């Protein structure tokens, strides 16, 4: 997928500076991520490259508590990912994970603990208001998600599709849709 250049994403070709204030800090360099985040991302991508959804169990188990999978029960996540995937084997979910982790990420602060509240969210579009997206970013969105997601985001202003959050300490916080009560297929 084409990645918007950070200068383009934050300036040229995007709306006014006042709307830019609503945008999260965007990162594209994996090397700029804290080492624990790189390690968790790499472990998830190893599962993606294996083509076996069961390999996702390894990064899930790295956490003290399982990630928030929204409406997917963490105790039976692998079986539910298989059931939710269009291919019935979980490969669609792996493809979504791979696509998301290849996109630029948002670097945000969440929670009251000032010393340990940095979270990295893929794609950064999950935290970016639609009205601030430039043309290259809209192309990125269309490459990451089904067309109905683009239409929904254009209408509502917010990203409704899958996103991943990993804390600066390497904790995999979530992999879920913005509205996890939405039972629609993840298929494009």
């Amino acid at each position: 997928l084409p990645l918007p250049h950070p200068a383009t994403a934050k300036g040229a070709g995007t709306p006014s500076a006042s709307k830019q204030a609503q945008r999260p800090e965007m990162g594209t360099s994996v090397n700029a991520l804290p080492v624990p985040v790189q390690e968790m991302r790499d472990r998830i991508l190893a599962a993606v490259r294996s083509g076996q959804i069961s390999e996702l169990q390894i990064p899930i188990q790295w956490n003290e508590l399982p990630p928030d999978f929204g409406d997917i029960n963490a105790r039976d996540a692998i079986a539910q990912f298989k059931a939710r995937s269009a291919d019935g084997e979980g490969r669609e979910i792996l493809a979504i994970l791979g696509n998301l982790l290849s996109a630029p990420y948002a670097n945000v602060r969440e929670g009251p603990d000032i010393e340990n509240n940095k979270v990295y969210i893929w794609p950064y579009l999950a935290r970016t208001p639609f009205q601030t997206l430039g043309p290259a970013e809209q192309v990125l969105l269309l490459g990451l998600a089904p067309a109905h997601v683009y239409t929904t985001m254009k209408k509502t202003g917010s990203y409704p599709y899958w996103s991943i959050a990993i804390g600066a300490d390497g904790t995999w916080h979530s992999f879920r849709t913005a509205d996890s009560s939405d039972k629609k297929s993840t298929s494009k």
Side-chain angles (χ1 to χ4, degrees):
L1 296 172
L3 299 179
H5 186 276
T8 302
K10 292 182 178 178
T14 57
S16 70
S18 64
K19 289 188 177 182
Q20 294 303 317
Q22 301 170 355
R23 297 172 61 93
E25 180 182 334
M26 181 187 78
T28 57
S29 172
V30 173
N31 294 331
L33 294 167
V35 171
V37 176
Q38 290 180 40
E39 290 171 348
M40 180 58 82
R41 179 183 176 274
D42 289 346
R43 189 63 252 171
I44 296 168
L45 287 173
V48 169
R49 286 189 295 275
S50 79
Q52 301 297 321
I53 193 76
S54 60
E55 292 295 313
L56 205 54
Q57 196 63 47
I58 295 168
I60 290 170
Q61 290 176 344
W62 274 15
N63 280 355
E64 186 175 328
L65 298 171
D68 174 5
F69 294 128
D71 62 355
I72 292 176
N73 184 330
R75 289 188 305 257
D76 194 26
I78 302 304
Q80 290 186 38
F81 283 142
K82 283 181 179 182
R84 183 115 174 226
S85 191
D87 65 295
E89 296 296 324
R91 292 187 183 104
E92 180 187 18
I93 297 296
L94 293 173
I96 291 168
L97 281 163
N99 285 339
L100 294 177
L101 289 172
S102 298
Y105 54 86
N107 178 351
V108 300
R109 293 197 176 272
E110 292 187 345
D113 183 357
I114 292 175
E115 293 180 12
N116 192 26
N117 67 358
K118 215 173 220 187
V119 179
Y120 297 85
I121 299 170
W122 286 266
Y124 79 100
L125 298 169
R127 293 297 178 93
T128 306
F130 183 83
Q131 67 271 20
T132 69
L133 298 181
E137 294 171 304
Q138 291 181 30
V139 170
L140 176 63
L141 173 62
L142 286 163
L144 287 172
H148 73 82
V149 171
Y150 176 89
T151 304
T152 298
M153 190 170 179
K154 188 173 183 179
K155 189 182 304 180
T156 65
S158 60
Y159 178 87
Y161 199 54
W162 292 96
S163 65
I164 304 165
I166 302 174
D169 64 354
T171 300
W172 183 5
H173 291 291
S174 66
F175 172 54
R176 59 179 294 153
T177 60
D179 177 11
S180 289
S181 63
D182 181 8
K183 307 283 187 193
K184 291 181 185 173
S185 169
T186 55
S187 300
K188 285 191 177 187

